Amino acid sequence: MSVRLEEDFERFKRGLSPDFADHVREAYRIDLRASYLGMPLPHPIGKGSGQLSLNAGQLEEDAAGGLAFVVLKTVIAEDEGGAQSMAAWAIHETRMKVERLAAPDGRMGWTVTWKGRGWDRSLDEYLALVRAGREIMARTGMPIVPSVKYHLPRIGEPFREHEYRHTTERLAAAWGDPPVPIEIDFSPTLAGDALSDDRAQVLRWLREVPGYVRSAAPGAVRLAVKLMNARFDDAFQREMLETTAGADALVVFNRLFDGERGVAFGGWELSDRNLRVLEAGRRSVALVGTGNVCSGRVLLEYALRGCESVQLHTFFQLPLSEYPAVQGSRTQRALHSLVFDPREGLIAGMLALERAGRLARHGGELRFLDLVPDAH
Ligand SMILES: Cc1cc2nc3c(=O)[nH]c(=O)nc-3n(C[C@H](O)[C@H](O)[C@H](O)COP(=O)(O)O)c2cc1C
């Protein structure tokens, strides 16, 4: 197996086929099938919401590259008149900087430094992207999911239901056949905002926001809640996990926030914190990992803590010289490294878990979802 893996790793440097998961099943008897929001996936690696899912061209390239799913950039909710209570998040900023970042323990990782926030064009333009995504999804089978930031009131203030209703109804209409999958974003810039200084206020959002989205489109939505890393301790992070009500899946957890520099960041400090919190967290709802997934090994750490798939951003943005592959899109090069790296990749990691007696074959196959405790 390891000889074969070395050969595949070398061979696929010049191009990875989009149906590589079929090859993995045949050649290694490893079934990589995974799941996101109840949708079956050929393997667990998708793209998180952000600057890499802003237009149809990016979606086409990801589908052609064999990515498992894509979450669109986060749009800011609005009411019938176009009023956005969270308008401060709809700001325009294009410059991103991909930087090396040392974790507190010295391990070097990568982060993307960026001062922007949510989708900065109109809701109509976003809906056009959703419709284009639906067409690509129908043609290629790759799920494409919208993401929304809804109104978040201060304690004692009511939720602006008009914004919830209008945005959700329009998304559902653009999507077509119900249910429409929606990711609700609680972002790191929100974690860094004075709005989030009050723990009771944050917990109220997590208890109530999914219910407002559901009542806007009864029976017609499937909801993932993407939780922020609050600027409190691990115990509060676990409380957030336990408090969130009415979600079909939780995406855990968005980037850390550096209050001094006023920017979100990732790297090893992010994955260490996320994995630590998940280690002791609940597993009563499907989980999706996010944060510094930069190798198959890190992906497996998320899976072993309950994540049925993962969504990446930073690893799709590295300088080309950082990927072992020499041809193909960044998506293909990233997948090649994540899956086929003979030491750090997903296949190598699953074979190592088998050797350690932590993963057994069924009908001759190792199955990714067998790693996930209580996979839904
Ligand atoms: C430049 C940039 C923009 C992002 N924008 C969004 C966003 O609009 N909505 C969202 O839910 N997450 C957003 N994210 C978070 C990513 O989707 C991802 O969850 C996070 O960066 C952790 O994964 P990573 O370490 O692989 O980057 C953004 C991340 C980056 C780096």
Side-chain angles (χ1 to χ4, degrees), residues 72 75 123 126-127 130 146-148 150 165-176 180-183 221:
L72 300 177
V75 72
L123 179 58
Y126 194 79
L127 297 171
V130 171
S147 163
V148 188
Y150 290 95
R165 193 164 332 114
H166 180 69
T167 307
T168 309
E169 280 175 0
R170 293 212 58 202
L171 278 173
W175 181 266
V180 54
I182 294 178
E183 223 177 78
V221 284

Side-chain angles (χ1 to χ4, degrees), residues 6-25:
E6 293 277 359
E7 283 170 5
D8 276 349
F9 181 63
E10 288 306 316
R11 186 156 61 104
F12 296 143
K13 280 182 179 173
R14 287 181 302 281
L16 185 66
S17 151
D19 49 15
F20 66 87
D22 294 341
H23 170 75
V24 172
R25 196 159 182 186

Side-chain angles (χ1 to χ4, degrees), residues 48-50 73-74 112 185 226 254-255 290-292 312-314:
S49 171
K73 179 68 189 171
T74 300
V112 181
D185 177 30
K226 186 171 185 177
N254 210 328
R255 300 201 298 166
T290 192
N292 192 41
L312 292 59
H313 195 289
T314 302

Side-chain angles (χ1 to χ4, degrees), residues 17 23 35 43 81 84 87-88 108-109 113 116 154 167 170 174 194 200 203 208 217 275 299 301 318 328 337 357 370:
S17 151
H23 170 75
S35 163
H43 63 82
Q84 293 175 315
M108 289 308 288
T113 305
R154 289 174 196 286
T167 307
R170 293 212 58 202
L203 295 176
E208 298 191 30
L275 295 171
L299 194 170
E301 294 301 322
L318 302 189
S337 166
D370 282 347

Side-chain angles (χ1 to χ4, degrees), residues 66-304:
L67 204 61
F69 67 98
V70 176
V71 184
L72 300 177
K73 179 68 189 171
T74 300
V75 72
I76 310 305
E78 63 183 54
D79 67 13
E80 301 79 348
Q84 293 175 315
S85 51
M86 305 298 280
W89 269 267
I91 58 169
H92 181 71
E93 169 67 55
T94 50
R95 232 174 63 90
M96 284 186 278
K97 199 165 167 208
V98 181
E99 299 179 293
R100 286 198 172 274
L101 178 70
D105 66 4
R107 265 173 309 162
M108 289 308 288
W110 290 93
T111 193
V112 181
T113 305
W114 183 60
K115 294 265 187 181
R117 293 180 165 193
W119 178 263
D120 57 10
R121 288 173 270 156
S122 70
L123 179 58
D124 281 334
E125 285 168 281
Y126 194 79
L127 297 171
L129 179 61
V130 171
R131 281 189 292 267
R134 276 296 266 169
E135 189 276 312
I136 294 167
M137 178 173 167
R139 182 158 37 81
T140 65
M142 180 184 77
I144 293 170
V145 173
S147 163
V148 188
K149 182 182 249 83
Y150 290 95
H151 171 232
L152 298 171
R154 289 174 196 286
I155 230 152
E157 278 176 8
F159 283 83
R160 297 204 185 163
E161 287 183 58
H162 285 284
E163 292 187 16
Y164 279 79
R165 193 164 332 114
H166 180 69
T167 307
T168 309
E169 280 175 0
R170 293 212 58 202
L171 278 173
W175 181 266
D177 272 353
V180 54
I182 294 178
E183 223 177 78
I184 304 173
D185 177 30
F186 290 90
S187 60
T189 48
L190 174 70
D193 192 275
L195 264 180
S196 302
D197 287 346
D198 183 338
R199 298 177 191 223
Q201 189 155 289
V202 171
L203 295 176
R204 177 190 175 213
W205 298 336
L206 300 177
R207 264 193 303 269
E208 298 191 30
V209 162
Y212 281 99
V213 180
R214 277 192 200 286
S215 54
V221 284
R222 225 184 253 160
L223 285 183
V225 173
K226 186 171 185 177
L227 294 170
M228 61 189 186
N229 258 304
R231 287 175 304 153
F232 302 116
D233 59 8
D234 290 3
F236 184 74
Q237 205 60 30
R238 283 184 203 112
E239 198 175 347
M240 287 172 56
L241 267 180
E242 278 150 24
T243 300
T244 310
D248 299 301
L250 301 179
V251 186
V252 285
F253 298 96
N254 210 328
R255 300 201 298 166
L256 298 163
F257 192 76
D258 178 339
E260 263 169 45
R261 293 180 68 207
V263 293
F265 68 97
W268 292 102
E269 191 175 350
L270 173 60
S271 49
D272 284 353
R273 153 107 153 174
N274 288 354
L275 295 171
R276 206 167 59 229
V277 169
L278 291 175
E279 184 76 43
R282 70 162 186 191
R283 311 223 194 285
S284 61
V285 65
L287 298 178
V288 181
T290 192
N292 192 41
V293 177
C294 55
S295 70
R297 299 275 180 163
V298 176
L299 194 170
L300 288 169
E301 294 301 322
Y302 277 100
L304 290 166

